[in-house]
Amino acid sequence: MPEPTASTILLTADQIQRRVHELAAELERDFPSALDLHLVCVLKGGFVFLADLVRNMTRPLSLDFMAVASYAKGTTSSGEVRLVKDLDSGLEGRNVVIVEDIVDTGLTLNYLQEILRARSPRTLRTAALLSKPSRRLVNVPIDYVGFTIEDRFVVGYGLDYAERYRNLPDVCVVPTAEE
Ligand code: IMP
């Protein structure tokens, strides 16, 4: 696996920060301060996005974390989604926003939306930093999308390849074997 280098940057840290600022403003507009707002971060990939998103928001909010496993090792989906860590608190009557790193086939998000909807939140929305619509296997609603990208495997800004590269400030393309 070649190391991602400057030449493989898809989205710079500056571009990401500007877009995250806009998404935070959209969320604050859609959920005025009088309304409760509860963000559910999907680990591990969503942690950097969540951290930047909330630091761009001044309104009161609460957070929780859940972890799912949808990929074995490498860049191929196993198609299987498994709940690894559940939320600490209930969602009944709350305005919940799922915070995801990337929506690829949509299987993970579809699964998450189904299990969270069953917990009777008042509203359930989703914010995803990245979306790869050409890979979609299920039609899943995403209310806030940072960037729509081509079918490339990306790392950085929370996203990993075999648990590496999550700390890169930019989103980089991982070259495939043919590249
Ligand atoms: P989906 O279920 O196929 O939509 O996959 C969602 C999950 O797969 C994401 O939350 C990521 O953890 C992982 N994933 C999908 N595409 C990429 C990528 O390009 N880079 C890193 N992780 C990815």
Side-chain angles (χ1 to χ4, degrees):
M1 166 64 57
E3 293 291 319
T5 63
S7 63
T8 66
I9 290 177
L10 181 67
L11 300 165
T12 66
D14 275 359
Q15 283 176 289
I16 299 168
Q17 291 307 322
R18 278 198 297 274
R19 187 66 187 123
V20 171
H21 186 77
E22 289 172 359
L23 292 175
E26 272 186 61
L27 277 166
E28 288 201 316
R29 187 199 58 211
D30 293 352
F31 296 94
S33 294
L35 296 177
D36 139 87
L37 179 60
H38 189 59
L39 303 182
V40 167
C41 174
V42 185
L43 296 172
K44 300 175 190 166
F47 82 105
V48 180
F49 179 34
L50 176 89
D52 281 346
L53 198 59
V54 297
R55 284 180 298 170
N56 275 277
M57 296 171 74
T58 51
R59 55 150 297 148
L61 52 82
S62 52
L63 304 176
D64 207 344
F65 297 88
M66 65 194 308
V68 289
S70 54
Y71 271 70
K73 238 185 170 186
T75 60
T76 331
S77 171
S78 64
E80 182 199 337
V81 181
R82 199 161 43 91
L83 187 57
V84 175
K85 183 217 174 291
D86 205 345
L87 298 172
D88 291 336
S89 55
L91 301 181
E92 195 171 343
R94 311 186 77 173
N95 295 310
V96 175
V97 178
I98 301 172
V99 179
E100 256 282 31
D101 53 356
I102 186 165
V103 183
D104 185 24
T105 64
L107 291 171
T108 307
L109 183 58
N110 191 51
Y111 169 81
L112 285 172
Q113 289 183 349
E114 272 176 20
I115 61 167
L116 297 189
R117 207 172 285 122
R119 298 178 188 189
S120 309
R122 184 169 170 273
T123 59
L124 181 65
R125 293 194 185 177
T126 300
L129 179 75
L130 304 172
S131 173
K132 287 194 239 180
S134 65
R135 295 258 309 158
R136 216 65 102 238
L137 293 179
V138 282
N139 189 12
V140 66
I142 315 174
D143 308 279
Y144 309 91
V145 178
F147 302 91
T148 298
I149 64 169
E150 304 286 309
D151 178 13
R152 309 293 297 277
F153 196 84
V154 290
V155 295
Y157 198 75
L159 291 125
D160 75 309
Y161 172 78
E163 293 302 328
R164 294 185 61 200
Y165 310 118
R166 293 193 195 274
N167 55 316
L168 297 179
D170 311 299
V171 168
C172 299
V173 174
V174 177
T176 57
E178 312 84 64
E179 291 174 301

